[in-house]
Amino acid sequence: MNLQALYAIDYAADLLIASGMEPSNSRISARAIVVSDLWKNGGHGLMRLPYYLQRIASGGINPSAKLKIISQAPSVATFDGEAGLGHWQLWKGAILGAELASTNGISLVTIRNSNHCGALGIYVYPSLDRNLLSIIVSTGPAVMPAFGGRTPILSTSPIAAGIPSSPTPIVIDMATSAVARGKIAAAAKKGEAIPQGWAFDQAGNPTTDAHIALMGMLAPLGGAKGFAMALLVESLSAGLAGGDTAVDVPDMFKPEDDSRPQKISHTVITIDPAKVAGEESFLGFSKIADNVLASGGRIPGAGRINPSAIGDEEITIADSVASDLAQWARNLGIATEKQ
């Protein structure tokens, strides 16, 4: 099913507002969700919205949450997300990080007791819009075993970075598991198999069944090196923020966990290159990008639409996702005729 992106944002925001979320936070979250679909990353797009709505209804997401300041210094801030939806919380954290770095040269913002935030690369744009560099990490439920292990202890441990190069910024957005879990969820929703090497069943046996993989474990990216990178991400997110580690984070794909806040942690590190090496930094970034292009390669993130620049684009969602959303709209009294 095709939807006009701006309509999809309105639709998603209306569903979140009807579920009790504050309107501006709902729109920030809805835009982040739809941007994932625009980026062809449907595993973090509207497919996830019914899960968020169910978790709000069940008590796992607090629709009235605020960002409560825990500690603050000139370049550092730590927040308690009060079990709110992660999208608006991390977006506001990224904006604050950009503001602090613009003043002080570098900043660190952490948010604990939050929830899933979707595609992590979305949140580098508040810094890119100010010609700043940012690195963002987040955690989630334990789905990845240690290299050689048979028990999940880490999340997909995503990491994102935005580098203000020219003519296009470099946007790195990756899981440290072999694949993002959202891709497996999307395959399960469509009834598709997944490639060999992506995942294991609960006993640690390789599987290509997306449904089994979703309840099983994901392989680390690059074996032991990917697991080590995931340990770093967990340390910089849950460890640094003082939040719950992955083994204690509830799973949004398990209905029995719907009433439990995930208590996910996010960390944003932002740097102002102009305060480091001035124009030389920007020239260096652009030279790096030029080297990639000259080699015949592609700049990571090239062609991705900036979340603030959505226009008349269309997104495509699975019919099953459209049906789920329509049922939630009926439940919440939201009109869906206009598209």
Side-chain angles (χ1 to χ4, degrees):
M1 179 178 182
N2 291 336
L3 293 175
Q4 203 270 343
L6 292 176
Y7 164 76
I9 292 172
D10 289 342
Y11 186 16
D14 286 346
L15 289 168
L16 292 169
I17 292 167
S19 296
M21 275 182 54
E22 190 272 333
S24 66
N25 292 339
S26 295
R27 286 202 64 82
I28 292 171
S29 301
R31 184 180 62 176
I33 291 167
V34 172
V35 165
S36 290
D37 285 310
L38 281 170
W39 286 358
K40 310 300 182 185
N41 187 0
H44 286 307
L46 286 170
M47 186 215 80
R48 293 262 187 168
L49 183 53
Y51 292 96
Y52 302 142
L53 297 173
Q54 183 59 59
R55 288 181 56 75
I56 291 173
S58 300
I61 294 176
N62 174 12
S64 303
K66 309 293 183 186
L67 279 176
K68 178 183 176 183
I69 189 70
I70 299 298
S71 63
Q72 190 162 14
S75 293
V76 179
T78 297
F79 293 93
D80 185 314
E82 296 185 340
L85 187 59
H87 303 70
W88 69 264
Q89 297 193 335
L90 185 49
W91 184 262
K92 289 187 175 182
I95 289 174
L96 176 61
E99 292 171 349
L100 294 176
S102 294
T103 300
N104 302 309
I106 189 169
S107 68
L108 172 69
V109 175
T110 65
I111 303 168
R112 66 188 187 218
N113 192 18
S114 184
N115 276 281
H116 187 256
C117 65
L120 210 58
I122 290 167
Y123 307 99
V124 304
Y125 283 89
S127 64
L128 288 176
D129 288 343
R130 293 181 177 224
N131 283 324
L132 306 175
L133 182 152
S134 63
I135 301 170
I136 304 177
V137 293
S138 184
T139 189
V143 293
M144 189 197 307
F147 184 67
R150 302 178 72 86
T151 301
I153 61 169
L154 294 178
S155 72
T156 59
S157 303
I159 183 168
I163 303 165
S165 60
S166 179
T168 182
I170 299 170
V171 178
I172 297 166
D173 184 358
M174 56 178 281
T176 52
S177 54
V179 66
R181 197 167 181 229
K183 287 189 176 182
I184 292 179
K189 195 71 175 176
K190 296 176 183 177
E192 298 174 349
I194 59 172
Q196 189 76 32
W198 277 14
F200 311 102
D201 63 17
Q202 291 181 339
N205 303 305
T207 183
T208 59
D209 186 310
H211 291 281
I212 291 174
L214 198 58
M215 295 297 109
M217 297 181 287
L218 303 187
L221 176 68
K225 293 180 180 179
F227 175 71
M229 182 68 74
L231 276 178
L232 174 62
V233 169
E234 176 96 340
S235 299
L236 289 174
S237 53
L240 192 59
D244 283 6
T245 58
V247 295
D248 295 315
V249 173
D251 189 345
M252 74 161 60
F253 294 121
K254 294 181 178 179
E256 63 268 27
D257 283 348
D258 283 345
S259 63
R260 299 172 57 206
Q262 288 187 294
K263 298 185 180 180
I264 283 173
S265 298
H266 319 289
T267 294
V268 183
I269 301 167
T270 311
I271 301 167
D272 184 354
K275 290 183 171 61
V276 179
E279 186 65 21
E280 295 301 317
S281 288
F282 298 106
L283 291 173
F285 297 148
S286 296
K287 179 61 176 176
I288 291 168
D290 288 342
N291 290 342
V292 173
L293 294 173
S295 75
R298 184 184 68 85
I299 303 297
R304 285 188 174 183
I305 188 170
N306 187 312
S308 63
I310 297 173
D312 58 1
E313 299 86 3
E314 283 194 344
I315 63 171
T316 301
I317 61 174
D319 289 343
S320 57
V321 173
S323 177
D324 289 346
L325 293 174
Q327 183 59 57
W328 273 102
R330 288 189 291 271
N331 294 346
L332 295 168
I334 302 298
T336 62
E337 309 85 31
K338 184 177 64 175
Q339 292 188 17

